[in-house]
Amino acid sequence: MCIEDSKYDLSAVEFGCVDFALQATQKFGPIQNALNARANKKPWNWCENDNNWSRAIKNEAIEMQDHIGWKWWGHSTPHFNRAFMEVVDIFHFWISAILQVRYESTKKGVPYLSPTFDAMKSGSDLLCELKEIEKAVNEHLVRRRIQDELPDVQKRIWRQEAINSFIDLMVLKAAKAGLHAAEHDLEANYIQLLHIGYIIQILCIFCGRSVSDLFKWYAGKNALNLFRWDNGYKKTAGEKGYIKIWSDGDAPQEDNDYLEYMILDHKDEGSGENETSSEATWLQKFYDMLAAEYKNVLATKDRNEDRSANVSSWKDCESKKFVESLIAG
């Protein structure tokens, strides 16, 4: 694409459609399954709930546009870290959708999630769509005469327009996937989901992030979700539940904000051969960091030493036991 440098080049996408789905589900399928099982209120497998994961993807994508800015009638400053957090949320729902297709296809004896699946039977359609977006973005910005703006403003406007256009394509793909899911057309649904996975990688690039960053942020968000469950999230009325606002003042900050700081400050302790083992410990590390900070929050807000003392690290928490029992079973 024009105007920007090579770091926003679509050729920087790391994985093909099928490879990305395989990487994601192999690394994080078990923990996502555990999260969904824990949130499930029914006495059966969460995959039987027929949740509309595509609708969830679509709405998170629209929220992402709010962080990027799309209103042409007013100036908007893009917040790329917050936008990337929405990509992480999309990634949660996308993995869930892939797992559900795998579950349904296994029941029917048709293993769609496999290295041999011909994902690119309609892949040429996706490549054509991506090229059309490149062309449309560039032509649109010519019509807007952004060449009359300062160079930095040109780059900002171009990047915003490109991201919003790729989000539009994701919303379209999610809508199609949802319709195919409603019709129980597993193959058509799966192809749209694979295309969404490819667009997720593109959005990572345009947010200035890599797939490795996506995996790390995903592990962090999982740690937060499990930590919330372990500490009284959504307790019934009258019970002392989880405190989501961790600091007050003119600009109150939620646990999500603290997690973002933790992720940005976190330094990887491995590369090369150790990279996989490092990824496997991210969830534990972020969980323990959240636990340490939450004890301070309770000491300040709750004034209840007993409750603060009940905050466990990962090795002693309920979620670890639940995840391990689910994987073992």
Side-chain angles (χ1 to χ4, degrees), residues 32 53 56-57 60 88-98:
Q32 187 62 55
W53 301 109
I57 290 170
E60 292 292 344
V88 176
D89 288 340
I90 290 168
F91 189 60
H92 278 86
F93 294 130
W94 177 76
I95 291 179
S96 299
I98 293 286

Side-chain angles (χ1 to χ4, degrees), residues 240-255 257-258 292-308 311:
K240 279 210 166 186
Y242 179 74
I243 299 174
K244 195 174 178 182
I245 304 296
W246 283 16
S247 66
D248 299 309
D250 295 335
Q253 292 191 310
E254 295 185 356
D255 50 7
D257 299 307
Y258 278 77
E293 188 62 42
Y294 192 57
K295 287 181 179 180
N296 295 331
V297 171
L298 288 175
T300 303
K301 284 176 163 281
D302 210 41
R303 306 292 183 186
N304 188 329
E305 291 299 323
D306 291 335
R307 207 168 159 216
S308 176
V311 178

Side-chain angles (χ1 to χ4, degrees), residues 9-21:
D9 192 335
L10 297 188
S11 65
V13 172
E14 295 180 47
F15 299 103
C17 293
V18 172
D19 287 344
F20 186 58

